[in-house]
Amino acid sequence: MRIYLFLFCLDFLKLRITDRPSLSQTLYRFLHLFGLMGSTAGAFKNSAMVCAPLMARSVEQMVIDMHSAKAQGADVVEVRLDYIHQFQPGQDLETIIRNKPLPVIIVYRLTSSGAGKQVFVPGRIDWGPKWEGGQYEGDEHKRLEALRLAHDLGADYIDFELKVASELIGELKNKHRNGGKVIVSSYLNGATPSKEKLGDLVASMQATGADIIKVVSNADDITEMERIFYLLSHCEVPAVAYSVGERGLISQLLCPKFGDTKVFGLVSKPVSHSKGPLLHNPTLRHANFNGIYVPMFVDDLKKFFDVFASPDFAGYSVGFPYKEAVVQFCDEVHPLAKSIGAVNTIIRRPGDGKLIGYNTDCEGSITAIEDALRDQKYVNGRSLNSPLAGKQFVVVGAGGAGRAIAVGARSRGARLIIFDIDLERAKCLARAVSGEARHFESLAHFQPENGAILANATPIGMHPSTDRIPAAEETLGNYQLVFDAVYTPRKTRLLKDAAAAGAITVSGVEMFLRQAIGQFNLFTGREAPKDFMRKIVLAKF
């Protein structure tokens, strides 16, 4: 199943659904994915509509899918005529429009071979790439006649390609002055063009007399999205503009953003695994805070921070692989984050716009481990302050998360042993926490002390490679507690095997929740609704 989520300036939340039999479940699940179900308008001053493109192979199924989309929260549907097998315009269009339970956008798209021949000359922007997925290969005159008929029958919106738009729009508006609205579309090959070339394209599209224009690109880098946002802010008619793929996801989510909405997001590569939006968006809404949290697929940190310097971009979570590298892009770094050498949270200070780096992973992970030990009524006679004092603490992975865990454990008096595939990296962290460093390969033969703590801070065991564990299975019984920073899946194989061996286990979900609570406090300047956030995690993760 391939799904794209779009929030448009035109106010469409659009879901690309190609697995027709599971439309209802897919639409419902995907609205929840970014914490937007029932509240798409809440983060923006303008209202949002949900649009579900339908690609059924029969007219009968198309009608069923229209009703299903409405039942699951859609406000408008995009009907793809080119997907209907043996499409009969006169009969089938009348059936669709007569039985529509909500407004429809009629689209009849050419195949890539047909559309690819169309070229917009100024700036030499080609459009109609393969990823648009048009299916029609027949006579062009018949295709356009079908679109004219849809307009005559009362379709709410008709989508035309730029090449054919000028003549047809004039014809339709002279014939039906109060008819449905016309969308003029352009699908761009390659990277997003410059602002100047986009401006030329938009001017040509507006000159057709379009009620709405739609521009879709295929981004090579997240920084191209700044051009998309510029286009939206300078259009003279309602505009739909976005870029497909992970790198374009913020354009799909932020296109209806106007006013004082603050943007927060995860800076990572990749970002598709993140459940941050699922937690942060409902929490921002619950707290009545005007903000939205989005995934940001970043290839180049310097380019990203140079381009997205607006006060609107108020804060970031930082994920793999950037927690250490991002430190150099912060104007100031909190002492704890500086001692760790890793940042997982950045705030843009309102007064001067400077980027301030923090680390909420450290306390998030260590307090989760301490509380789990205390819940088991464990008492360490050496210290009344922390059950970790004096204990052997094995950290696997010396990256950003491993550094946070190691510094936190050291602050509680634990004795650290650091394993990493890069021995020099392990040695660097070991020196910082007065511990030992060993190569990751030696972990398979390492015999821990009885009652030791094991913390996995590597991606080992993360979906989809869920069958791997970082330590030797036969040694797991020696550990009193095993912590896994991986939270997808919630119960990793490491945690399952450790529990079977009798160890206390702590999921990365608990660390994720606690660090997110710290991030919310920094993002908003308010106290996080901890109970509300925990309920979301328990219900959704």
Side-chain angles (χ1 to χ4, degrees):
M1 181 185 302
R2 186 167 64 102
I3 308 170
Y4 296 119
L5 173 65
F6 305 124
L7 265 171
F8 293 145
C9 180
L10 179 62
D11 305 329
F12 290 150
L13 171 59
K14 182 174 181 179
L15 307 175
R16 179 65 50 85
I17 300 168
T18 55
D19 187 3
R20 177 194 50 74
S22 59
L23 169 65
S24 299
Q25 299 93 323
T26 301
L27 181 54
Y28 183 80
R29 178 177 63 83
F30 213 70
L31 283 170
H32 276 87
L33 181 58
F34 292 95
L36 296 170
M37 173 59 88
S39 61
T40 48
F44 308 104
K45 287 189 175 181
N46 59 326
S47 61
M49 295 172 64
V50 178
C51 176
L54 306 180
M55 302 173 190
R57 303 297 294 177
S58 71
V59 174
E60 294 76 16
Q61 188 60 52
M62 193 71 80
V63 172
I64 291 171
D65 284 355
M66 285 194 292
H67 285 271
S68 180
K70 181 179 180 181
Q72 295 300 324
D75 300 298
V76 61
V77 291
E78 180 184 273
V79 174
R80 290 291 299 266
L81 302 181
D82 47 301
Y83 275 79
I84 298 175
H85 183 60
Q86 295 183 342
F87 174 60
Q88 301 295 321
Q91 177 181 329
D92 294 345
L93 276 170
E94 184 175 348
T95 299
I96 290 169
I97 294 173
R98 184 179 66 246
N99 292 281
K100 65 182 179 73
L102 71 180
V104 295
I105 304 170
I106 298 296
V107 178
Y108 204 4
R109 192 74 68 215
L110 291 165
T111 60
S112 58
S113 59
K117 297 175 183 177
Q118 303 168 40
V119 180
F120 170 68
V121 177
R124 303 192 63 81
I125 301 172
D126 298 335
W127 62 285
K130 293 180 180 179
W131 46 260
E132 173 51 20
Q135 302 293 305
Y136 182 73
E137 296 180 318
D139 180 75
E140 174 68 348
H141 176 74
K142 291 182 179 179
R143 185 180 77 93
L144 297 180
E145 281 300 309
L147 291 172
R148 288 187 180 97
L149 178 59
H151 191 272
D152 291 344
L153 290 172
D156 303 277
Y157 301 92
I158 309 292
D159 187 309
F160 290 116
E161 299 88 353
L162 174 59
K163 181 181 179 181
V164 301
S166 295
E167 181 179 343
L168 286 174
I169 290 175
E171 173 192 326
L172 293 177
K173 289 192 173 182
N174 286 331
K175 188 175 182 180
H176 299 286
R177 293 189 179 275
N178 296 318
K181 294 184 181 299
V182 175
I183 301 172
V184 174
S185 299
S186 181
Y187 296 85
L188 311 178
N189 278 322
T192 307
S194 67
K195 292 178 183 178
E196 292 75 17
K197 290 180 179 179
L198 278 176
D200 291 340
L201 174 61
V202 167
S204 295
M205 296 175 78
Q206 291 177 165
T208 65
D211 298 299
I212 301 157
I213 66 170
K214 177 180 175 183
V215 178
V216 184
S217 68
N218 192 4
D220 292 327
D221 191 278
I222 193 172
T223 56
E224 296 173 27
M225 298 308 98
E226 189 264 346
R227 298 167 221 165
I228 295 291
F229 299 143
Y230 179 86
L231 181 157
L232 288 167
S233 65
H234 288 78
C235 281
E236 297 176 5
V237 299
V240 176
Y242 59 89
S243 188
V244 299
E246 272 194 294
R247 290 171 178 82
L249 186 55
I250 65 167
S251 72
Q252 302 159 21
L253 289 165
L254 297 181
C255 282
K257 177 198 152 357
F258 298 104
D260 299 323
T261 302
K262 296 299 181 185
V263 179
F264 306 99
L266 171 66
V267 173
S268 187
K269 181 182 178 180
V271 294
S272 58
H273 68 285
S274 173
K275 294 187 177 181
L278 186 65
L279 177 59
H280 281 293
N281 283 322
T283 306
L284 289 166
R285 191 164 63 250
H286 175 79
N288 198 29
F289 187 90
N290 188 11
I292 187 170
Y293 185 98
V294 298
M296 298 174 170
F297 191 115
V298 175
D299 293 289
D300 186 312
L301 287 173
K302 185 179 187 306
K303 283 176 63 178
F304 175 80
F305 287 116
D306 284 347
V307 170
F308 293 102
S310 163
D312 287 345
F313 291 86
Y316 307 99
S317 305
V318 182
F320 180 84
Y322 295 131
K323 292 186 180 185
E324 295 169 274
V326 81
V327 172
Q328 65 180 299
F329 298 100
C330 296
D331 298 297
E332 298 176 17
V333 179
H334 185 271
L336 175 60
K338 186 176 292 186
S339 69
I340 294 169
V343 162
N344 81 317
T345 309
I346 296 176
I347 301 301
R348 189 181 304 279
R349 194 159 56 197
D352 54 16
K354 289 186 175 181
L355 299 177
I356 315 301
Y358 298 87
N359 192 299
T360 64
D361 283 337
C362 180
E363 287 301 302
S365 59
I366 294 303
T367 59
I369 292 171
E370 289 179 317
D371 288 349
L373 289 170
R374 291 187 178 112
D375 287 345
Q376 295 293 322
K377 297 183 170 55
Y378 171 76
V379 178
N380 187 333
R382 297 186 185 185
S383 173
L384 296 177
N385 295 321
S386 174
L388 296 178
K391 296 192 72 69
Q392 186 183 72
F393 198 109
V394 178
V395 178
V396 186
R403 295 187 70 88
I405 294 167
V407 169
R410 176 59 181 169
S411 72
R412 270 42 171 204
R415 297 178 289 114
L416 277 298
I417 302 179
I418 312 298
F419 288 84
D420 196 272
I421 196 169
D422 184 336
L423 183 57
E424 289 304 312
R425 193 181 195 188
K427 288 179 178 179
C428 180
L429 176 55
R431 285 193 294 270
V433 295
S434 302
E436 300 177 38
R438 303 190 186 186
H439 196 279
F440 174 75
E441 291 181 357
S442 66
L443 183 59
H445 310 289
F446 174 71
Q447 189 65 35
E449 295 178 1
N450 286 329
I453 307 296
L454 173 65
N456 175 40
T458 75
I460 294 175
M462 180 184 292
H463 181 81
S465 302
T466 58
D467 60 339
R468 299 178 60 206
I469 64 172
E473 185 176 349
E474 59 270 19
T475 67
L476 294 179
N478 292 76
Y479 293 102
Q480 181 174 21
L481 181 145
V482 174
F483 167 81
D484 197 342
V486 172
Y487 65 85
T488 52
R490 182 172 184 171
K491 287 290 185 182
T492 61
R493 182 188 162 191
L494 173 62
L495 294 182
K496 291 177 181 177
D497 290 351
I504 302 167
T505 60
V506 179
S507 168
V509 171
E510 187 64 30
M511 172 183 172
F512 173 80
L513 169 63
R514 295 181 185 221
Q515 64 82 30
I517 288 171
Q519 287 184 335
F520 183 92
N521 295 339
L522 291 168
F523 286 161
T524 66
R526 304 179 186 178
E527 188 69 24
K530 297 178 183 178
D531 292 341
F532 178 83
M533 296 176 76
R534 183 170 293 280
K535 286 179 181 178
I536 291 177
V537 167
L538 292 176
K540 305 292 185 182
F541 283 51

